[in-house]
Amino acid sequence: MSRSAASSNGAVEPFDAVDVIRAKRDGGVVPEDALRWMVDAYTRGYVADSQMAAFAMAVLLNGMDRSEIRVMTDAMIASGERMSFAGLGKPTVDKHSTGGVGDKITLPLAPLVAAFGVAVPQLSGRGLGHTGGTLDKLESIPGWRAALSNDEMFAQLREVGAVICAAGSGLAPADKKLYALRDVTGTVEAIPLIASSIMSKKIAEGTDSLVLDVKFGSGAFMRDVDRARELARTMVALGTDSGVATTALLTDMNTPLGLAIGNANEVRESVEVLAGGGPADIVELTIALAREMLALAGLPDADVEAALRDGRAMDAWRAMIAAQDGDPDAALPVARETHTVTATQTGVLTRMDALPFGVAAWRLGAGRARAQDPVIHAAGIDLHVKPGAAIAAGQPLFTLLADDGSRFARALEALEGAWEIGPETPTAHPLVLERITA
Ligand code: URA
């Protein structure tokens, strides 16, 4: 690859973007120094959006090898600040989910793990499209504040153990720019780019260890289980190569998780789990992820169920919410309008498809179409039954929640054909399909 291209201000750039694009277009491996330069030059505006878009498309079509993905990730980490919790005096462990419908697991999980004296620095985002954002859910709690300074985060980790807050703009700014470009150029789906995007932020965050919940199925970012597995393996390798102990669970996202889809109703359901109840699938996944996190933090024998039963996880939740100015006892928003859908026949609920339920909740106002839109915290869907339940004609199946009843028609349109009642009990699929380690 030739070096030395003159930039418009006369400074000599060590590489030429067109050479880097051609190398990837022709299926080659981009040399480390050229790839690092490409990411840096794009972040500072020397490499144009059109050039980076061509490069991203070449990656989507031709892939990257393990060393290229590692270099890409490192270069994105190097574009911003790198946090460190070394002075905390406790192990740190984080979780990342690739997102799904009704996925509120972070809410009970972070305080549950913190109840064992482990610090959980959970930098989260807002939802876009049919998958909800953790910060949107927590903002249904009156007073709760997502934005924390690094000092506030550090103090809360020391005193409470769990923090769920907004990621500052200083972490991996190259990823922020590249992700926005991929979104409008049909290149989001490239596994090397997804893996480097997610892991650059997690590694820059400074956690000692990380558990990934990589979802597959209709409500997931990756529908296909083989692609989800490949993404999980790629991210586990990246974390491990960077010194972050990383494991992944491959989990089923074909059916909504739990009975609540929305924001305030998902907080209510999370509190039920912290009180020792809650839907079986939410409890199962929360416990499975907590065990993984605690094992990475050096506590493989922690009795996770006991902490849910005896109130320790609930105490950590209340402290976590209060530390960010939220009132854990305040009433949560309730929808002004409801519409309940009932069964037209008797039988067994054989299917409830996650994606249309996610889209319907979004149309009811629980999610946003543009990053700057607000969400309606009371909007969403409460499910009354899950697949496998015996159903009698006339029985309520689910209730749509909105502040404006004119939203129901479009939500119901999204739900056409989204569930099925049949004569026979469906085959149950495991929620956690596989565990992936380095
Ligand atoms: N989430 C991210 O942060 N990055 C991606 O590329 C995809 C999902």
Side-chain angles (χ1 to χ4, degrees):
M1 183 161 300
S2 66
R3 286 176 165 256
S4 301
S7 74
S8 56
N9 65 9
V12 175
E13 294 287 340
F15 295 96
D16 185 341
V18 178
D19 289 340
V20 179
I21 297 164
R22 283 197 188 112
K24 193 36 70 188
R25 180 199 67 188
D26 296 341
V29 172
V30 179
E32 174 167 348
D33 49 0
L35 189 49
R36 282 189 195 280
W37 171 82
M38 185 79 176
V39 173
D40 172 59
Y42 176 60
T43 311
R44 57 189 160 81
Y46 175 73
V47 167
D49 274 349
S50 53
Q51 294 177 306
M52 197 52 153
F55 181 71
M57 185 58 80
V59 172
L60 183 132
L61 297 173
N62 292 327
M64 276 181 155
D65 73 11
R66 184 166 169 167
S67 69
E68 284 176 299
I69 301 174
R70 187 180 49 72
V71 170
M72 184 84 194
T73 308
D74 271 1
M76 294 206 288
I77 295 169
S79 72
E81 68 172 315
R82 196 162 177 168
M83 297 173 74
S84 166
F85 299 113
L88 208 55
K90 330 180 186 186
T92 50
V93 56
D94 193 5
K95 180 223 56 157
H96 177 82
S97 161
T98 54
V101 177
D103 182 6
K104 73 279 295 172
I105 303 291
T106 295
L107 275 56
L109 181 65
L112 172 59
V113 172
F116 289 89
V118 172
V120 186
Q122 174 85 54
L123 298 180
S124 296
R126 293 175 200 284
L128 194 61
H130 76 275
T131 60
T134 299
L135 301 182
D136 296 321
K137 299 179 208 299
L138 285 167
E139 279 173 346
S140 344
I141 301 172
W144 187 84
R145 179 164 68 88
L148 295 185
S149 68
N150 287 358
D151 285 348
E152 284 176 317
M153 186 181 177
F154 205 86
Q156 189 170 326
L157 283 173
R158 197 191 323 262
E159 282 149 33
V160 177
V163 175
I164 304 173
C165 65
S169 55
L171 286 184
D175 170 63
K176 197 163 187 209
K177 193 171 174 191
L178 179 56
Y179 193 20
L181 181 73
R182 287 165 53 211
D183 205 24
V184 294
T185 56
T187 52
V188 165
E189 292 84 353
I191 287 179
L193 299 182
I194 301 170
S196 53
S197 165
I198 292 173
M199 293 303 288
S200 62
K201 288 171 284 199
K202 288 291 161 188
I203 297 166
E205 174 195 287
T207 184
D208 296 331
S209 47
L210 175 66
V211 175
L212 300 162
D213 178 1
V214 181
K215 299 190 174 297
F216 63 91
S218 94
F221 185 57
M222 292 274 158
R223 304 223 169 157
D224 177 61
V225 66
D226 293 329
R227 280 180 56 76
R229 185 181 291 110
E230 187 187 338
L231 176 64
R233 286 190 177 143
T234 306
M235 292 197 290
V236 167
L238 262 178
T240 308
D241 287 353
S242 304
V244 178
T246 308
T247 60
L249 298 183
L250 206 56
T251 70
D252 191 320
M253 190 63 256
N254 283 298
T255 302
L257 269 173
L259 294 168
I261 307 165
N263 293 294
N265 60 348
E266 293 202 27
V267 173
R268 262 182 224 111
E269 187 166 273
S270 303
V271 172
E272 281 169 32
V273 173
L274 289 158
D281 56 350
I282 298 288
V283 175
E284 179 186 341
L285 192 50
T286 303
I287 288 175
L289 289 164
R291 286 209 180 109
E292 289 294 328
M293 291 170 78
L294 289 164
L296 289 180
L299 297 169
D301 301 321
D303 187 348
V304 175
E305 284 97 331
L308 286 175
R309 271 195 314 270
D310 64 21
R312 274 177 291 150
M314 179 68 96
D315 289 346
W317 159 264
R318 294 175 63 82
M320 177 182 88
I321 297 303
Q324 287 170 250
D325 302 333
D327 177 356
D329 296 314
L332 295 168
V334 175
R336 281 200 282 269
E337 308 278 347
T338 62
H339 175 92
T340 297
V341 173
T342 54
T344 52
Q345 66 189 95
T346 294
V348 178
L349 186 68
T350 54
R351 182 174 60 82
M352 201 167 221
D353 218 351
L355 178 62
F357 277 89
V359 172
W362 174 52
R363 288 186 180 177
L364 291 166
R368 53 170 70 77
R370 297 173 309 161
Q372 64 270 31
D373 291 344
V375 301
I376 297 164
H377 290 116
I381 305 177
D382 281 340
L383 307 178
H384 305 303
V385 284
K386 293 286 286 272
I391 305 287
Q395 181 179 338
L397 296 177
F398 52 87
T399 298
L400 308 185
L401 314 167
D403 274 356
D404 173 358
S406 69
R407 290 181 180 260
F408 290 143
R410 291 261 298 141
L412 288 167
E413 235 172 67
L415 288 166
E416 268 168 35
W419 75 94
E420 207 167 69
I421 296 171
E424 281 170 31
T425 305
T427 315
H429 297 288
L431 181 57
V432 179
L433 186 69
E434 270 172 51
R435 178 169 179 269
I436 293 170
T437 57

